């Protein structure tokens, strides 16, 4: 093994010819992992009572990203991560891609594994895709991955690997029918270890590992819930066990990397895809809101970075980052340099801000636009337009009133303005204090709307479920 290889581990993350390969040295290995629906308050390093020793230790030794944002829901975040583009530029601005909807992340966009493959990478995916599968052309094997093991849809039974009673587990293009009863996190961690152990280190590796956990349905082996008898809310108890279980899987994967001789030169990045869902046991306290909302609890993501190549460690970074930033950052670390067409990206290379503490190039984030609903952050200030009112939901172990407060939200807030730096909990609406600023930020939203592509959302195609029932598994139905 060449000593100057290093592995990037990311827990989590265009036919535009945006990048060209720099001619220098060896390329890094990259492992990209997404934790699904992990709440802001559900890791130990954010003060949770849930046991997350592996993530806590890694975070304490690395750089915690405290001002980092994702999209409010699954498919838009995954599309943004792999393309480096806002959902309004990929047609994924209208929620998730459902099982019978014939569309996906547009095929004319060259995504991260395709760029890395062009640079000589061996590319593998394990876990949840959720970016379209109506045609084989939309599936992972045709989007730059050499191998795929996982599910096409957004959620499924963690033991039977079924969605709507139909199998959704695939090894490349073959349905996997012999893993009934094997918990999804165990299954994916085992597959990841196999890839790590069998990989030829002379070729750079890209391993994308988006876990199903901790997304509903709420399921976990009972030994993980027995530790949380102090939590009286049954949903929260199971969810806590799921978080601890996936934390254990992270530990097992890092051990496999150590065994393979990769860990000393590994960069680890951990991220969620959106905020936690209180109805499914996940919480974002003290942030306001939840998964699916544009409040901080929906879009402010748990994230940290760990690795010996960091020039500073044991710190919290407050620079502004967005999930689209991983695309150019990882390509930079892989030795791929931006060319003159980089304006097609919405992401920025944030490596110097993370590693050295430099100022982030990012000064604003378009959180979301879908119709009249929008949110934007510019500097310290965040504008929300036509959003559903959401409350602050305390984890049940912190408040006996949690179940009552969970249902207090409702109605539409037409305009709201917050100073997120001074008021990250979105408790003091400043729209009446700064009407000129409201107008300025509205103009920025209008600016983004002028560049919006049509939503890819289309009506459900009944042939999808008909064929799935006939075959006994979900899969492409158009071709």
């Amino acid at each position: 093994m060449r000593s100057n290889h290093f592995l990037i581990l990311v827990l989590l993350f265009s036919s535009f010819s945006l990048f060209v390969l720099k001619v220098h040295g060896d390329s890094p290995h990259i492992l990209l992992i997404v934790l699904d629906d992990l709440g802001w308050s559900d890791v130990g390093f954010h003060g949770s009572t849930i046991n997350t020793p592996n993530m806590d230790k890694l975070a304490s030794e690395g750089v915690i990203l405290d001002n980092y944002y994702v999209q409010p829901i699954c498919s838009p975040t995954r599309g943004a991560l792999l393309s480096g583009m806002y959902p309004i530029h990929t047609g994924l601005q209208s929620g998730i891609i459902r099982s019978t909807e014939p569309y996906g992340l547009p095929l004319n966009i060259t995504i991260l594994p395709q760029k890395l493959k062009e640079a000589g990478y061996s590319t593998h995916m394990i876990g949840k895709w959720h970016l379209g599968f109506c045609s084989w052309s939309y599936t992972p094997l045709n989007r730059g991955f050499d191998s795929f093991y996982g599910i096409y849809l957004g959620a499924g039974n963690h033991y039977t690997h079924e969605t709507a009673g139909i199998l959704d587990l695939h090894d490349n293009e073959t349905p996997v029918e012999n893993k009934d009863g094997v918990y999804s996190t165990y299954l994916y961690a085992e597959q990841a270890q196999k890839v790590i152990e069998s990989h030829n280190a002379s070729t750079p590796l890209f391993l994308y590992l988006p876990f199903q956990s901790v997304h509903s349905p709420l399921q976990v082996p009972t030994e993980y819930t027995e530790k949380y008898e102090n939590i009286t809310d049954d949903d929260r108890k199971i969810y806590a066990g799921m978080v601890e279980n996936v934390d254990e899987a992270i530990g097992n994967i890092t051990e496999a990397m150590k065994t393979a001789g990769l860990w000393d030169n590994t960069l680890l990045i951990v991220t969620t895809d959106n905020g936690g869902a209180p109805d499914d046991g996940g919480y974002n306290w003290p942030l306001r809101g939840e998964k699916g909302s544009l409040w901080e609890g929906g879009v402010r993501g748990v994230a940290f970075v760990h690795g010996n190549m960091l020039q500073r460690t044991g710190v919290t970074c407050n620079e502004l980052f967005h999930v689209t930033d991983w695309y150019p950052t990882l390509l930079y670390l892989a030795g791929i340099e931006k060319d003159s067409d980089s304006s097609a990206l919405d992401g920025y290379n944030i490596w110097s801000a993370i590693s050295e503490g430099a100022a982030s190039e990012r000064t604003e984030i378009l959180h979301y636009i879908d119709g009249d609903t929008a949110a934007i952050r510019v500097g310290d200030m965040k504008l929300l337009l036509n959003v559903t009112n959401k409350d602050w939901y305390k984890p049940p172990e912190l408040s006996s009133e949690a179940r009552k407060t969970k249902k207090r939200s409702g109605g539409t807030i037409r305009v709201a303005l917050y100073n997120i730096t001074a008021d990250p909990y979105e408790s003091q609406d400043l729209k009446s204090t700064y009407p000129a600023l409201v107008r300025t930020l509205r103009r920025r939203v209008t600016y983004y709307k002028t560049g919006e592509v049509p939503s890819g959302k289309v009506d459900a195609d009944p042939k999808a479920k008909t064929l799935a029932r006939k075959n006994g598994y979900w899969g492409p139905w158009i071709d």
Side-chain angles (χ1 to χ4, degrees):
M1 183 184 302
R2 290 177 287 183
S3 61
N4 55 348
H5 270 100
F6 67 94
L7 177 70
I8 299 176
L9 171 59
V10 183
L11 293 176
L12 172 111
F13 299 98
S14 35
S15 60
F16 293 116
S17 300
L18 295 177
F19 295 86
V20 294
L21 184 64
K22 285 193 291 188
V23 182
H24 67 76
D26 295 323
S27 299
H29 303 299
I30 302 173
L31 174 58
L32 173 58
I33 306 174
V34 176
L35 300 181
D36 201 342
D37 289 6
L38 181 66
W40 179 264
S41 59
D42 296 339
V43 289
F45 63 89
H46 282 172
S48 178
T49 59
I50 297 175
N51 189 33
T52 56
N54 293 295
M55 286 190 280
D56 294 347
K57 183 175 187 296
L58 293 164
S60 69
E61 296 172 348
V63 178
I64 296 172
L65 307 184
D66 202 49
N67 207 6
Y68 163 76
Y69 290 87
V70 290
Q71 297 301 131
I73 201 163
C74 297
S75 297
T77 289
R78 293 159 201 275
L81 185 153
L82 293 180
S83 70
M85 302 168 71
Y86 289 139
I88 63 163
H89 296 145
T90 63
L92 298 184
Q93 64 268 53
S94 299
I96 64 171
I97 300 172
R98 300 191 180 278
S99 60
T100 57
E101 293 176 338
Y103 78 108
L105 183 62
L107 300 177
N108 66 336
I109 296 175
T110 302
I111 64 174
L112 182 61
Q114 292 169 307
K115 294 303 300 183
L116 293 173
K117 193 171 179 61
E118 290 175 10
Y121 275 72
S122 176
T123 58
H124 305 273
M125 177 184 168
I126 300 165
K128 168 180 165 178
W129 177 236
H130 209 192
L131 286 173
F133 69 99
C134 61
S135 166
W136 287 113
S137 58
Y138 284 98
T139 60
L141 292 182
N142 292 284
R143 302 308 300 268
F145 289 104
D146 294 324
S147 73
F148 166 65
Y149 191 103
I151 66 172
Y152 291 137
L153 299 178
N157 187 293
H158 291 277
Y159 287 102
T160 67
H161 316 295
E162 294 177 340
T163 298
I166 303 171
L167 180 68
D168 182 25
L169 182 63
H170 312 268
D171 186 351
N172 293 323
E173 296 181 353
T174 303
V176 179
E177 300 177 312
N178 63 347
K179 296 299 182 181
D180 187 7
V182 181
Y183 189 64
S184 68
T185 303
Y186 292 154
L187 187 60
Y188 297 150
E190 179 183 340
Q191 291 296 320
Q193 290 165 14
K194 288 179 180 178
V195 169
I196 292 168
E197 291 165 1
S198 63
H199 179 68
N200 182 345
S202 65
T203 300
L205 169 68
F206 176 53
L207 176 58
Y208 176 44
L209 178 51
F211 282 104
Q212 279 180 252
S213 284
V214 290
H215 196 292
S216 62
L218 297 173
Q219 298 170 312
V220 75
T222 56
E223 59 263 33
Y224 293 93
T225 60
E226 291 171 350
K227 305 175 183 181
Y228 296 101
E229 293 302 321
N230 62 305
I231 299 178
T232 58
D233 182 308
D234 289 339
D235 288 348
R236 178 66 172 173
K237 184 183 300 183
I238 298 171
Y239 174 90
M242 293 174 76
V243 174
E244 181 168 341
N245 173 268
V246 79
D247 179 83
E248 181 181 280
I250 292 169
N252 290 339
I253 291 169
T254 59
E255 285 301 315
M257 292 163 59
K258 291 175 183 177
T259 300
L262 301 171
W263 182 245
D264 287 345
N265 292 312
T266 295
L267 178 67
L268 167 67
I269 305 171
V270 182
T271 179
T272 185
D273 64 340
N274 47 246
D279 283 336
D280 293 320
Y283 287 79
N284 308 296
W285 177 265
L287 302 180
R288 183 176 182 175
E290 60 187 299
K291 172 186 176 178
S293 79
L294 295 174
W295 302 96
E296 291 293 283
V299 296
R300 196 162 187 164
V302 176
F304 67 87
V305 181
H306 175 282
N308 292 334
M309 65 289 304
L310 291 165
Q311 295 188 31
R312 58 176 194 149
T313 59
V315 298
T316 296
C317 180
N318 292 306
E319 293 298 312
L320 194 62
F321 302 137
H322 186 254
V323 65
T324 54
D325 297 334
W326 294 123
Y327 182 101
T329 301
L330 295 180
L331 293 187
Y332 165 78
L333 290 169
I336 303 172
E337 189 174 82
K338 290 188 287 186
D339 68 12
S340 58
D341 265 341
S342 63
S343 59
L345 288 182
D346 295 304
Y348 294 85
N349 175 6
I350 57 174
W351 180 246
S352 62
I354 293 172
S355 178
E356 303 167 27
S360 173
E361 291 185 47
R362 179 176 289 283
T363 59
E364 73 178 44
I365 292 173
L366 177 66
H367 287 305
Y368 210 59
I369 294 177
D370 187 18
D372 293 330
T373 298
I376 190 170
R377 166 99 179 256
V378 179
D380 298 327
M381 307 304 291
K382 176 181 176 182
L383 178 73
L384 298 102
L385 300 174
N386 301 302
V387 297
T388 302
N389 182 28
K390 292 294 179 180
D391 216 322
W392 297 262
Y393 310 132
K394 284 189 177 182
E397 62 269 30
L398 300 182
S399 172
S400 61
E401 300 297 311
R403 279 295 177 187
K404 296 178 183 177
T405 61
K406 190 186 289 189
K407 300 300 182 184
R408 275 171 34 208
S409 301
T412 299
I413 293 179
R414 299 299 178 189
V415 181
L417 179 71
Y418 298 95
N419 183 325
I420 297 299
T421 301
D423 178 24
Y425 316 125
E426 296 171 300
S427 59
Q428 185 178 2
D429 188 350
L430 300 174
K431 65 176 178 291
S432 298
T433 306
Y434 301 109
L437 182 56
V438 170
R439 291 192 293 271
T440 298
L441 296 186
R442 276 184 176 274
R443 286 194 291 269
R444 289 301 293 166
V445 172
T446 300
Y447 161 78
Y448 279 109
K449 283 187 174 182
T450 62
E452 182 178 10
V453 303
S455 171
K457 181 69 71 175
V458 291
D459 293 336
D461 184 349
K463 293 193 294 292
K465 185 170 284 189
T466 299
L467 185 61
R469 285 173 173 162
K470 177 183 177 181
N471 291 337
Y473 57 87
W474 289 103
W477 67 93
I478 291 177
D479 54 1

